[in-house]
């Protein structure tokens, strides 16, 4: 861990006992520790406040960790719809949202994300956070472009780790992630940047839809 990461994590110390304990609890239930790092939580919260975000779509719930970070930054009328196909993850997320006091703001829709998205064609969101299976990213981008409001945000995690061919993440992952990144970089509808995370081991794509 770099001196910069140590410094910023100390500077913005996570003063949230529940968020601190949830990853260990999930691991005890056999749920993988593939949740966002604190720096991504802080970025999501900053963008939610700056862009006056009220409606969020998350693809990839896990145990509800990133959605708790986001819910904490939403105004009282803010809502999150999160998609998840593992029943154990969805159930754990619901329990965690209750404990975090955000259960009225967040709902999980269970099933394969692409199937659920087909039922959501008329929904619109201010922010869409893509964080599920990496080979699905190009299809999730199609949906995100359809469901995001003008002026809204599309974020996607792990856009370097899975695009890096030296990491042995599998050819399908690398191909899908590169396609995803290239389409965003070249889109006339989007202004975007990729921000390094985990000391440059990974990155998050942040794209704004032109009004
Ligand atoms: C990286 S984790 C999400 C982490 C979460 N956003 C966080 O930071 O707290 C990815 C989640 O997506 C779910 N998932 C993977 N493929 C999916 C699919 N096709 N449809 C729905 N959920 C999927 C996995 O079960 C897992 O819980």
């Amino acid at each position: 861990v770099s001196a910069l990461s140590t410094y910023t994590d100390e500077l913005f110390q996570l003063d949230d006992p529940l968020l601190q304990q949830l990853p260990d609890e999930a691991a005890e239930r056999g749920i993988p520790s593939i949740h966002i790092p604190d720096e991504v939580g802080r970025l999501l919260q900053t963008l939610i406040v700056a862009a006056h975000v009220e409606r969020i779509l998350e693809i990839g719930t896990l145990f509800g960790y990133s959605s708790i970070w986001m819910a904490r930054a939403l105004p009282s009328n803010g809502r999150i719809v999160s998609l998840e196909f593992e029943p154990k993850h969805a159930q754990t997320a619901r329990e965690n949202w209750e404990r975090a006091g955000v259960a009225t703001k967040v709902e999980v829709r269970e099933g394969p994300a692409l199937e659920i998205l087909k039922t959501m064609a008329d929904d619109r969101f201010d922010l869409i956070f893509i964080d599920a299976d990496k080979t699905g990213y190009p299809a999730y981008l199609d949906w995100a472009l359809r469901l995001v409001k003008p002026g809204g945000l599309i974020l996607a995690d792990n856009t370097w780790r899975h695009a890096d061919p030296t990491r042995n993440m599998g050819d399908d992952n690398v191909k899908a992630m590169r396609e995803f990144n290239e389409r965003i970089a070249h889109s006339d509808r989007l202004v975007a940047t990729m921000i390094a995370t985990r000391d440059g081991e990974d990155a998050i794509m942040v794209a704004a839809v032109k009004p």
Side-chain angles (χ1 to χ4, degrees):
V1 179
S2 70
L4 172 62
S5 288
T6 305
Y7 175 71
T8 48
D9 280 342
E10 278 174 17
L11 184 67
F12 294 102
Q13 211 161 47
L14 180 58
D15 191 14
D16 192 323
L18 186 71
L19 279 180
Q20 277 163 358
Q21 75 194 53
L22 288 183
D24 287 342
E25 284 182 17
E28 282 163 21
R29 286 194 183 192
I31 299 175
S33 289
I34 48 174
H35 53 285
I36 53 162
D38 290 7
E39 58 192 331
V40 171
R42 292 193 295 266
L43 175 66
L44 287 164
Q45 290 190 335
T46 306
L47 292 173
I48 287 166
V49 172
H52 307 287
V53 168
E54 291 180 356
R55 293 212 71 211
I56 296 175
L57 170 66
E58 174 177 70
I59 306 177
T61 313
L62 196 63
F63 53 90
Y65 186 82
S66 50
S67 46
I68 294 173
W69 272 92
M70 293 193 284
R72 296 245 192 271
L74 279 176
S76 54
N77 63 335
R79 294 290 179 271
I80 303 174
V81 176
S82 189
L83 313 185
E84 176 58 57
F85 71 175
E86 282 286 346
K88 183 161 85 171
H89 297 183
Q91 183 52 33
T92 306
R94 282 193 199 95
E95 292 168 18
N96 290 338
W97 294 332
E98 281 290 340
R99 295 162 70 198
V102 300
T104 54
K105 289 186 176 176
V106 197
E107 80 173 271
V108 61
R109 296 199 190 153
E110 281 186 67
L114 286 175
E115 293 303 310
I116 303 170
L117 286 163
K118 281 183 202 156
T119 70
M120 298 178 67
D122 296 326
D123 279 333
R124 289 296 176 270
F125 297 92
D126 302 301
L127 186 153
I128 298 177
F129 179 43
I130 301 170
D131 192 20
D133 54 308
K134 307 310 164 189
T135 50
Y137 272 37
Y140 299 144
L141 179 58
D142 291 335
W143 277 104
L145 287 167
R146 179 164 173 179
L147 301 183
V148 72
K149 291 182 195 170
L153 293 159
I154 300 171
L155 277 82
D157 204 8
N158 312 120
T159 52
W160 167 234
R161 191 173 147 73
H162 292 265
D164 177 3
T166 69
R167 224 72 80 83
N168 295 321
M169 304 305 290
D171 290 349
D172 289 350
N173 269 354
V174 174
K175 188 168 168 282
M177 195 57 83
R178 288 187 167 240
E179 179 189 332
F180 177 85
N181 290 340
E182 283 159 26
R183 280 182 53 199
I184 289 183
H186 300 145
S187 168
D188 292 336
R189 281 183 65 194
L190 302 171
V191 180
T193 188
M194 206 141 95
I195 301 174
T197 59
R198 301 183 188 273
D199 285 329
E201 285 289 301
D202 208 343
I204 182 163
M205 181 68 86
V206 181
V209 184
K210 292 178 190 170

